[in-house]
Amino acid sequence: MGLLSIIRKIKRKEKEMRILMVGLDNSGKTTIVLKINGEDTSVISPTLGFNIKTMTYHKYTLNIWDVGGQKTIRSYWRNYFEQTDGLVWVVDSSDLRRLNDCKFELDNLLKEERLSGASLLVFANKQDIQGALSPEEIAKVLNLDAMDNTRHWKIVGCSAYTGEGLLEGFDWLVQDIASRIYVLD
Amino acid sequence: MNNQQALATTDDMSTDPTLDPTIQRKHAAMIERLSNLHQSRVSNKTDLKDSSFESTKSFLLQFTNSKQAIESSLTQIQQIPDADPTLDLKPEIEKISLSITELEKLIAESSYFLPPYEVRSSLKTISDLKQTLDSVASKVKPRKKFSFKNKPAKKTEPTNIITKESIENEPEQHSGYKVKDAPGFRSRENETLTKEFKGSEMGEFVLSDLTNCEVRLKGCLRTLFINRLQNCKVYVGPVLGSILIEEVEGCLFVVASHQIRIHHAKESDFYLRCRSRPIIEQSFGVRFAPYCLSYDGIESDLKVSNLDDDTGSWANVDDFQWLRAVQSPNWSILPESQRIDTLII
């Protein structure tokens, strides 16, 4: 029992999580990932394909898959669904016109069976822009309250430009995933 | 939330980061040995007396206590007569669901020292509890419908306020949920539209449904959305964030921004300064050239927006529908002889 408990403790410390970042184009997915990793965010081209970032967050290793959101490549999102522990949906809170598109794509995504166990974090990004909708308003537009009640979800207002709110969101996501992974161990 | 934090702190205490992990491990092993020794000694005298850390018994005790508490509150809810429609059971149910989650976490935290049988059986208990809760919740739900008439007054109050606002701000918008509209020029024809932005009003701006217009935006902007333009000329000062251009035809754009995305553009010319690679999607006949705008104070505006030097990115266009190495047929670089001269607005 002594050795086993030690091994389990070590194993638990090396916990890896797979996080998938998706959302419409121009919502700021790549900027969020780079910002939270402390990298330069001044020159970021629209993502053609995907980026993977591995970072240590508290005692976990996060593998963040940042997938491009342009319309032509949204159909490839499903290639990344397997084994996803956490889903991050990024919304451009200042893009009022495309909120319906945003809701449509999110609803489609949540129907996906392979993502049914994943915790959902919604980032209401670009809160620093004058005229951006608040997270509460975004939640209403996306009708998040009507979601299946087995889904763990949270919406957090953030600004990838200033960095505000990013840690709050990731803290929640990692905590939520951790509480599930322990049990499954 | 509090609970999560509390759990996190206990976790931190058991694995003090300041200690050397090997020492820590040795220490843990030593304690384990000592406690085993102690246990074997004690068990000779008394039967069950063990409340030490990481003990299965103390876990089971705690688990059973919480389980009983949850069960009793569940039966309590079930016993409430249906006749009372004003009683809102939702917070009660949420509370129970929260304590079930808590219990689940307790198992999770203890799973590494529990025997597999205990883990399995406690997980089974949890799923049973969840099932009971679900059935109770579904029984309670129809009642919620009965009390619906009483509730809207309180519950939809915030929604009411917002719809009121939206009616004041944009009476023409009824479908969908829109709280307000961003500032911008919309639905104009044959006009020259001018706006100058001062530092304080730096925000978003929208150009939509314009035909045969000339648009001049001076000063810095935070972000710009352009949608459904025909035969327009658009001259814009530096944009700190991104520009999104959709459904334009026969237009001329002179814009500077950190990111530029162009969708559904036909036969249009773009004079750009861009920090990153501009992209096009579902577009054809679009041509690119360097930024060529000038107005009083543009130099400092460009500097503020970190767009003061031309990185040449305007020519590195990514066509998302043309992933081959050869040049995309959908866009080209505007020959120098056909470019417009520097524009002064």
Side-chain angles (χ1 to χ4, degrees), chain A residues 93-120:
Chain A
S93 312
S94 69
D95 190 353
L96 307 178
R97 191 177 64 80
R98 293 201 302 165
L99 279 174
N100 283 338
D101 287 4
C102 178
K103 177 173 168 37
F104 174 78
E105 294 287 355
L106 177 61
D107 288 346
N108 264 348
L109 200 69
L110 295 180
K111 279 182 210 147
E112 180 59 46
E113 206 182 329
R114 281 173 293 169
L115 294 174
S116 59
S119 311
L120 170 68

Side-chain angles (χ1 to χ4, degrees), chain B residues 22-223:
Chain B
T22 49
I23 294 175
Q24 222 178 318
R25 244 176 280 154
K26 275 184 189 163
H27 184 72
M30 190 181 74
I31 286 182
E32 191 97 29
R33 271 203 308 276
L34 284 177
S35 74
N36 281 349
L37 212 67
H38 177 71
Q39 216 176 334
S40 61
R41 270 195 222 116
V42 171
S43 60
N44 288 337
K45 293 171 193 169
T46 55
D47 242 342
L48 320 156
K49 198 189 167 215
D50 186 9
S51 60
S52 69
F53 179 60
E54 291 193 359
S55 119
T56 311
K57 285 202 181 81
S58 68
F59 163 78
L60 281 178
L61 193 71
Q62 208 183 337
F63 183 81
T64 323
N65 282 346
S66 330
K67 184 190 137 196
Q68 275 163 0
I70 292 169
E71 274 171 345
S72 71
S73 42
L74 272 171
T75 39
Q76 242 175 15
I77 287 189
Q78 276 170 316
Q79 277 161 3
I80 290 173
D82 294 338
D84 197 355
T86 51
L87 207 58
D88 188 8
L89 290 170
K90 215 180 157 201
E92 201 56 39
I93 287 176
E94 263 164 22
K95 222 170 86 190
I96 295 173
S97 138
L98 213 70
S99 31
I100 293 179
T101 320
E102 239 167 69
L103 202 55
E104 212 173 358
K105 244 177 218 154
L106 175 72
I107 304 172
E109 293 282 312
S110 323
S111 64
Y112 70 94
F113 66 79
L114 285 178
Y117 171 74
E118 302 296 353
V119 175
R120 267 205 312 277
S121 67
S122 21
L123 284 177
K124 174 81 173 57
T125 315
I126 291 283
S127 71
D128 286 349
L129 282 176
K130 276 182 175 166
Q131 242 167 33
T132 326
L133 179 69
D134 277 352
S135 67
V136 169
S138 62
K139 260 185 222 160
V140 172
K141 252 182 196 164
R143 187 183 297 150
K144 245 173 78 191
K145 269 181 194 161
F146 287 120
S147 61
F148 189 63
K149 275 179 189 165
N150 295 337
K151 270 184 202 164
K154 280 177 212 161
K155 254 201 152 178
T156 55
E157 207 168 8
T159 337
N160 277 343
I161 291 168
I162 287 161
T163 31
K164 225 184 266 168
E165 273 173 13
S166 68
I167 287 164
E168 279 163 17
N169 285 351
E170 31 147 30
E172 80 274 17
Q173 279 275 356
H174 283 293
S175 64
Y177 182 96
K178 273 206 172 180
V179 184
K180 60 200 169 223
D181 233 336
F185 295 129
R186 294 181 174 80
S187 307
R188 310 282 188 96
E189 256 180 75
N190 307 315
E191 281 183 66
T192 301
L193 307 159
T194 315
K195 185 152 175 78
E196 198 166 341
F197 297 93
K198 304 267 159 52
S200 60
E201 45 182 1
M202 198 164 107
E204 61 180 315
F205 202 75
V206 176
L207 302 176
S208 104
D209 302 280
L210 307 179
T211 315
N212 300 323
C213 289
E214 185 174 311
V215 183
R216 300 169 173 208
L217 305 178
K218 288 190 205 177
C220 295
L221 270 166
R222 188 65 180 72
T223 185

Side-chain angles (χ1 to χ4, degrees), chain B residues 256-299:
Chain B
S257 176
H258 279 241
Q259 282 191 333
I260 296 171
R261 291 176 172 84
I262 299 163
H263 303 156
H264 301 278
K266 273 189 239 170
E267 313 296 342
S268 296
D269 289 346
F270 296 87
Y271 293 78
L272 305 181
R273 179 170 298 174
C274 190
R275 291 278 291 181
S276 60
R277 302 167 74 95
I279 71 132
I280 60 170
E281 250 187 348
Q282 282 109 12
S283 305
F284 61 88
V286 291
R287 300 188 295 177
F288 292 86
Y291 194 58
C292 61
L293 193 69
S294 173
Y295 60 80
D296 209 17
I298 193 169
E299 289 308 321

Side-chain angles (χ1 to χ4, degrees), chain A residues 1-2 4-6 8-10 12-13 25-28 31 41-49 59 69-73 76 92-101 126 128-134 136-137 140-141 149 152 154 159 161 171-172 175-176 178-179 182-183 185, chain B residues 1 4 8 11 14-15 24-25 28-29 32 54 104-105 107-109 111-114 119 123 134 141 158-159 162 176-182 200-204 222-223 225-228 240 242 244 246 258-261 263-264 275-277 279 281-282 306 318 320-321 323:
Chain A
M1 173 104 162
L4 194 60
S5 71
I6 290 161
R8 282 194 175 138
K9 265 187 182 167
I10 293 167
R12 196 173 61 164
K13 272 185 201 152
D25 49 314
N26 196 31
S27 55
T31 315
T41 57
S42 66
V43 183
I44 296 173
S45 292
T47 308
L48 182 50
K59 47 190 173 173
Q70 302 299 326
K71 205 167 192 169
T72 23
I73 56 176
Y76 299 107
D92 177 353
S93 312
S94 69
D95 190 353
L96 307 178
R97 191 177 64 80
R98 293 201 302 165
L99 279 174
N100 283 338
D101 287 4
K126 309 204 186 180
D128 57 298
I129 295 183
Q130 240 179 55
L133 291 188
S134 68
E136 293 76 30
E137 289 168 308
K140 271 184 200 148
V141 177
N149 59 8
H152 295 203
K154 186 181 172 74
S159 161
Y161 184 62
D171 276 343
W172 175 83
Q175 267 295 335
D176 193 75
S179 68
Y182 286 171
V183 175
D185 207 12
Chain B
M1 218 46 185
Q4 283 176 359
D11 211 63
S14 65
T15 59
Q24 222 178 318
R25 244 176 280 154
E32 191 97 29
E54 291 193 359
E104 212 173 358
K105 244 177 218 154
I107 304 172
E109 293 282 312
S111 64
Y112 70 94
F113 66 79
L114 285 178
V119 175
L123 284 177
D134 277 352
K141 252 182 196 164
T159 337
I162 287 161
Y177 182 96
K178 273 206 172 180
V179 184
K180 60 200 169 223
D181 233 336
S200 60
E201 45 182 1
M202 198 164 107
E204 61 180 315
R222 188 65 180 72
T223 185
F225 296 105
I226 294 174
N227 184 32
R228 288 199 295 272
L240 187 56
S242 61
L244 186 65
E246 287 194 317
H258 279 241
Q259 282 191 333
I260 296 171
R261 291 176 172 84
H263 303 156
H264 301 278
R275 291 278 291 181
S276 60
R277 302 167 74 95
I279 71 132
E281 250 187 348
Q282 282 109 12
N306 204 6
D318 278 330
F320 272 55
Q321 288 187 308
L323 304 176

